[in-house]
Amino acid sequence: MALTCRITEFSGLVSGLAEATFVPVSPGSGQAEVDDVLAAIQPTTCLVSIMLANNETGVIMPVAELSQHLRALNQRRAGQGLPRVLLHTDAAQAIGKGRVDVQELGVDYLTIVGHKFYGPRIGALYVRGPGTSTPLHPLLFGGGQERGFRPGTENTAMIAGLSQAAELVSKNWEAYEAHMRDVRDYLEARLEASFGKQRIHFHIQVPSRLLGEAFSCCVCAPVAFELTPLVPALRFRPSSILLSCGIPYEVAQNALRLSVGRDTTRADVDRAVQDLVQAVAQLDQDQAP
């Protein structure tokens, strides 16, 4: 996978190749700034792609604001004979954990992944006016299925399952969101009560952050406290996403991501925190001089 927490801008279509420009996020907030994205757009730019919510930090990107600016920009570009800049968002992490409305977002394309909201492992792509107002070209050829966009027999059972999961989200997202917010806040409170603010740091704190299984909090211990024995891989590869948000290397190396979901209860949180307290106590004992 490419780095998340960023915007990818494809431009310069020459000989079937696309030139990509990567716009970094703002350190501290973890958000991609609208002004930075607009500054990266060139005359040949045709697409901007941005996550709706990051799967590690939970930061929600300003997609609706960006789409408004792109609409105004596209009006000026039309008068200059330049191509329209289309907007794609990856909403895989956001659906099921808050309100997602393509009309409000104003995007041209939106990616959906079923298993992220308790559906089957099948995806879908929303396209605003496929093949008419918004271009859509097939990548595979050989059959007329899916309106000629992709050949092959559709997985009817998984498509039906995706539809049912989406319907449940549409009807119950407010209840899901309220529950996950309560459990997430309880988790953060229990961690601070158990370890103290000197050992627990929630580095990504912005007003718009995701709720749910994809994100609960970033728990980072001070440098002197090594969490890496809990997860050996961490000592070799700290999260590139945290590093891009301005988290120091030695702190990102000691970060744990804890998550909650629809069915997570406060009792589950109590057990998880208790296990973490025991593990940290054992590490303290092992690292004592």
Side-chain angles (χ1 to χ4, degrees):
M1 289 180 61
L3 287 176
T4 52
C5 248
R6 71 179 187 200
I7 296 177
T8 306
E9 173 246 313
F10 296 95
S11 62
L13 293 175
V14 180
S15 302
L17 299 177
E19 178 184 340
T21 300
F22 303 109
V23 181
V25 299
S26 176
S29 72
Q31 281 189 320
E33 301 292 342
V34 172
D35 289 342
D36 292 340
V37 179
L38 297 175
I41 293 176
Q42 304 297 319
T44 52
T45 300
C46 60
L47 177 69
V48 170
S49 179
I50 179 174
M51 298 182 82
L52 182 53
N54 184 266
N55 58 304
E56 283 194 27
T57 64
V59 173
I60 299 175
M61 301 298 173
V63 176
E65 180 184 355
L66 177 59
S67 70
Q68 292 175 1
H69 284 274
L70 287 179
R71 281 197 294 270
L73 176 64
N74 283 330
Q75 290 179 355
R76 296 193 297 271
R77 286 169 67 95
Q80 300 168 357
L82 297 175
R84 184 161 61 99
V85 179
L86 301 168
L87 178 59
H88 163 261
T89 189
D90 179 359
Q93 302 296 341
I95 295 177
K97 303 158 187 83
R99 179 177 172 81
V100 177
D101 188 313
V102 293
Q103 302 301 327
E104 293 179 1
L105 293 173
V107 296
D108 298 291
Y109 309 98
L110 182 140
T111 302
I112 299 168
V113 180
H115 70 275
K116 294 295 185 178
F117 53 95
Y118 298 81
R121 286 185 173 271
I122 187 173
L125 177 68
Y126 162 83
V127 183
R128 183 186 299 275
T132 55
S133 59
T134 303
L136 183 65
H137 304 286
L139 297 176
L140 302 173
F141 302 89
Q145 294 91 342
E146 298 193 31
R147 302 181 185 178
F149 290 122
R150 187 179 68 178
T153 303
E154 292 90 343
N155 190 332
T156 306
M158 280 197 171
I159 293 172
L162 178 68
S163 174
Q164 182 62 41
E167 184 176 348
L168 289 173
V169 165
S170 179
K171 291 180 178 179
N172 302 299
W173 71 269
E174 290 177 310
Y176 296 157
E177 184 181 46
H179 171 74
M180 287 185 284
R181 175 180 284 108
D182 174 75
V183 177
R184 183 202 64 187
D185 292 347
Y186 180 69
L187 169 62
E188 294 182 353
R190 289 283 286 111
L191 288 170
E192 285 191 345
S194 299
F195 294 102
K197 293 185 178 181
Q198 295 302 314
R199 274 192 154 176
I200 296 297
H201 303 276
F202 302 108
H203 281 280
I204 306 299
Q205 292 285 5
V206 295
S208 55
R209 58 184 179 131
L210 192 67
L211 302 166
E213 65 167 347
F215 171 76
S216 169
C217 53
C218 256
V219 182
C220 301
V223 180
F225 173 59
E226 295 284 340
L227 278 179
T228 48
L230 289 176
V231 187
L234 287 177
R235 75 179 59 161
F236 302 110
R237 191 176 63 179
S239 167
S240 58
I241 294 174
L242 294 184
L243 294 177
S244 70
C245 293
I247 305 299
Y249 184 95
E250 63 274 10
V251 176
Q253 193 175 33
N254 288 320
L256 292 180
R257 188 184 87 174
L258 304 178
S259 304
V260 303
R262 282 185 206 168
D263 300 325
T264 307
T265 65
R266 289 192 171 202
D268 295 330
V269 169
D270 290 335
R271 286 192 294 269
V273 172
Q274 181 181 4
D275 289 343
L276 189 56
V277 167
Q278 293 175 354
V280 168
Q282 184 62 52
L283 288 176
D284 281 339
Q285 182 178 341
D286 294 342
Q287 294 174 10

